Amino acid sequence: MIKNNITFDFDQRISRHATGSVKWDALGKVFGSEDILPLWIADMDFPSPEAVSTKLNERASHPIYGYNTQESSLYQSIIEWLKRRHGWEIEKDWILFAPGVVPSITLSILALSEPGDGIIIQPPVYPPFFDSIKDNNREVVENPLVFKDSLYEIDFEDLDKKLSNPKNKLLLLCSPHNPVGRVWREEELRKIYELCQKYKVDVLSDEIHSDLVFDGHKHTVFASLGTPICKQSVTFMAASKTFNVAGLNFSFIIVPCKRRRALIEGWMHRLHMNRNNLFGVLATEVAYQEGNAWLDALLSYLEENADVLVDFVKTRLIGVKVNKPEGTYLAWLDFRAYFTDAKELEHFLVHTAKVGLNSGGNFGIQGKGFARINLATQRSVLLEALTRIEKALKLKLSETTKHL
Ligand SMILES: Cc1ncc(COP(=O)(O)O)c(C=O)c1O
């Protein structure tokens, strides 16, 4: 693939075995079987941009890895990235650094709500959303997405009802949405904005997938919609998904409101969360400075993978359904024509098809009979996995007809 006269090869398979990869090296522990092709946890089987590995190798060659500072060039790279790729102008003071998006969400829940408060989420949704709420003695309030005209949509009537309850203090938004792959349109976000303003509910917006958006769709930063909501929102972002540096544990939180920022910083101090990973900092800075062409090429490859998946499912996995994701590198496979029990589907995928996907049941009860597949792999791996599922479904069908 050529972008800006540079060639990127996303087809080349690079073994990740024995690299300490959760996706490839923990199969026995996670799935109870080593003999499976993994397309589950959300990292990519592609090398990060060369500029990132060069920078990290350069720094690693100096053998002292003591405490590090955050240079102003890091802030600048984030500010410029957000302006260039998302048209969002932010101030340096709004940025807080953190060791990951999930810890940052948890921290913000602690800072901006009280035990017993309700926090609204939109399932099926990224499983740690449930845990960050429940583990901190807040209540999960569900505003389930609805499947309409072959698209997952927000149920605004129900959202209005949930937001109007004064017990519910925060809305935790997943934008773009994992696992359904929606890139929320500006008018959808505006409706959320108006309701949250009306009921004075703060929005925690997880935008970790914001750079991974396909042609014809545009990510709108929720906090960029207007000043009042900007003050009422906290945005979570990272270079981790975009440039495949999730193992470096570095992310940032953007909090325009001084009061809310002080509350979140207060919790950071309490938890002594004021140090950041040296390599995560370097990778983020260089990726934002030099990763544009690589990301554009990656997006083309991922979108082609999404097309391959949709075509394969339509023509060869009869009865299974999938929507082409608008963003993220995740797709949500609907196996309900064959399985309604989450455990049975899991068993079938691992032991008959021999593929490792994320079980839909972990994304909320709405995910029963679904599985999430990670498309950020070489096309040959994706096709191998789909072919394994095809063969397993044929076997299942032949066994069913035998028993008739
Ligand atoms: C929506 C969403 N938020 C957060 C994360 C994880 O973020 P982190 O590893 O920075 O905690 C993921 C990873 O898959 C995700 O999909």
Side-chain angles (χ1 to χ4, degrees):
M1 184 162 295
I2 301 172
K3 285 273 164 177
N4 296 357
N5 291 329
I6 312 169
T7 307
F8 299 94
D9 183 6
F10 294 102
D11 278 321
Q12 194 194 354
R13 281 203 198 196
I14 299 178
S15 171
R16 297 183 65 189
H17 283 299
T19 62
S21 152
V22 183
K23 192 181 192 178
W24 289 85
D25 288 330
L27 294 175
K29 210 160 129 199
V30 176
F31 294 100
S33 170
E34 296 287 349
D35 176 28
I36 61 171
L37 197 56
L39 293 89
W40 63 292
I41 195 169
D43 71 16
M44 304 197 270
D45 292 333
F46 310 125
S48 292
E50 206 178 312
V52 172
S53 42
T54 304
K55 185 82 179 178
L56 297 186
N57 277 313
E58 225 173 72
R59 178 61 188 84
S61 69
H62 186 294
I64 301 176
Y65 310 114
Y67 294 125
N68 53 305
T69 59
Q70 268 92 56
E71 303 295 339
S72 57
S73 52
L74 170 65
Y75 287 94
Q76 205 47 38
S77 70
I78 293 172
I79 291 169
E80 280 167 18
W81 180 261
L82 292 180
K83 188 168 169 199
R84 190 178 334 118
R85 302 241 17 151
H86 299 294
W88 190 31
E89 295 197 33
I90 62 163
E91 293 173 21
K92 180 180 176 216
D93 288 350
W94 299 358
I95 306 173
L96 302 175
F97 295 123
V101 165
V102 174
S104 306
I105 290 173
T106 307
L107 193 73
S108 306
I109 288 174
L110 288 168
L112 302 177
S113 68
E114 297 294 330
D117 284 349
I119 298 176
I120 304 169
I121 56 172
Q122 298 173 310
V125 75
Y126 182 55
F129 278 21
F130 294 87
D131 304 327
S132 289
I133 298 170
K134 286 193 283 198
D135 293 348
N136 293 292
N137 304 317
R138 273 66 169 171
E139 195 191 321
V140 172
V141 177
E142 297 197 3
N143 166 229
L145 299 178
V146 284
F147 195 69
K148 256 200 252 163
D149 303 328
S150 69
L151 203 65
Y152 276 95
E153 308 255 11
I154 293 165
D155 182 344
F156 283 102
E157 214 176 295
D158 180 68
L159 181 61
D160 188 314
K161 213 175 343 162
K162 305 280 160 67
L163 286 169
S164 70
N165 182 343
K167 246 190 97 213
N168 299 335
K169 295 289 173 14
L170 297 169
L171 168 66
L172 177 48
L173 190 66
C174 194
S175 177
H177 193 282
N178 169 8
V180 306
R182 278 297 317 277
V183 174
W184 303 115
R185 291 186 299 273
E186 184 171 335
E187 61 266 29
E188 291 171 298
L189 294 170
R190 283 209 177 274
K191 272 199 201 175
I192 299 179
Y193 166 96
E194 278 154 22
L195 290 173
C196 287
Q197 235 195 309
K198 178 172 159 194
Y199 296 113
K200 302 277 170 275
V201 170
D202 282 6
V203 176
L204 304 182
S205 192
D206 179 343
E207 304 194 14
I208 196 170
H209 295 282
S210 54
D211 299 319
L212 299 164
V213 166
F214 299 146
D215 253 4
H217 301 279
K218 187 183 172 304
H219 176 75
T220 301
V221 175
F222 185 73
S224 73
L225 290 177
T227 307
I229 202 73
C230 180
K231 301 254 177 209
Q232 263 173 262
S233 344
V234 177
T235 308
F236 307 96
M237 289 181 164
S240 56
K241 299 281 162 214
T242 316
F243 294 104
N244 210 22
V245 291
L248 301 180
N249 288 75
F250 182 68
S251 72
F252 50 97
I253 318 176
I254 302 171
V255 201
C257 163
K258 209 169 162 182
R259 183 181 67 79
R260 289 171 177 84
R261 199 163 59 240
L263 287 169
I264 293 173
E265 276 184 304
W267 269 94
M268 281 184 157
H269 290 307
R270 230 184 272 187
L271 297 170
H272 297 267
M273 244 172 86
N274 53 357
R275 299 260 169 231
N276 295 300
N277 183 296
L278 160 67
F279 290 97
V281 165
L282 290 175
T284 301
E285 182 177 328
V286 73
Y288 283 165
Q289 287 166 346
E290 298 182 37
N292 278 289
W294 182 92
L295 176 57
D296 291 339
L298 171 80
L299 288 174
S300 304
Y301 191 84
L302 290 176
E303 186 164 4
E304 283 167 19
N305 270 6
D307 287 328
V308 164
L309 169 84
V310 170
D311 183 60
F312 197 105
V313 170
K314 206 155 93 189
T315 53
R316 294 171 56 180
L317 302 186
I318 306 304
V320 179
K321 291 184 193 146
V322 72
N323 268 7
K324 181 175 167 183
E326 299 171 344
T328 78
Y329 46 72
L330 309 164
W332 191 229
L333 293 167
D334 179 354
F335 286 93
R336 283 175 303 170
Y338 297 93
F339 300 94
T340 45
D341 182 84
K343 287 274 165 248
E344 268 180 39
L345 172 58
E346 214 174 301
H347 189 273
F348 164 82
L349 289 170
V350 172
H351 297 286
T352 313
K354 298 194 181 298
V355 293
L357 310 187
N358 284 87
S359 176
N362 296 337
F363 295 75
I365 51 164
Q366 301 79 2
K368 275 189 193 166
F370 289 79
R372 191 192 74 176
I373 187 167
N374 179 344
L375 304 171
T377 191
Q378 289 71 36
R379 194 147 309 139
S380 58
V381 175
L382 175 64
L383 284 168
E384 190 180 329
L386 293 171
T387 306
R388 288 184 186 200
I389 298 172
E390 179 187 30
K391 274 194 198 144
L393 281 177
K394 280 190 182 149
L395 189 68
K396 180 173 170 57
L397 281 173
S398 72
E399 279 169 0
T400 316
T401 38
K402 231 189 282 168
H403 291 108
L404 285 179

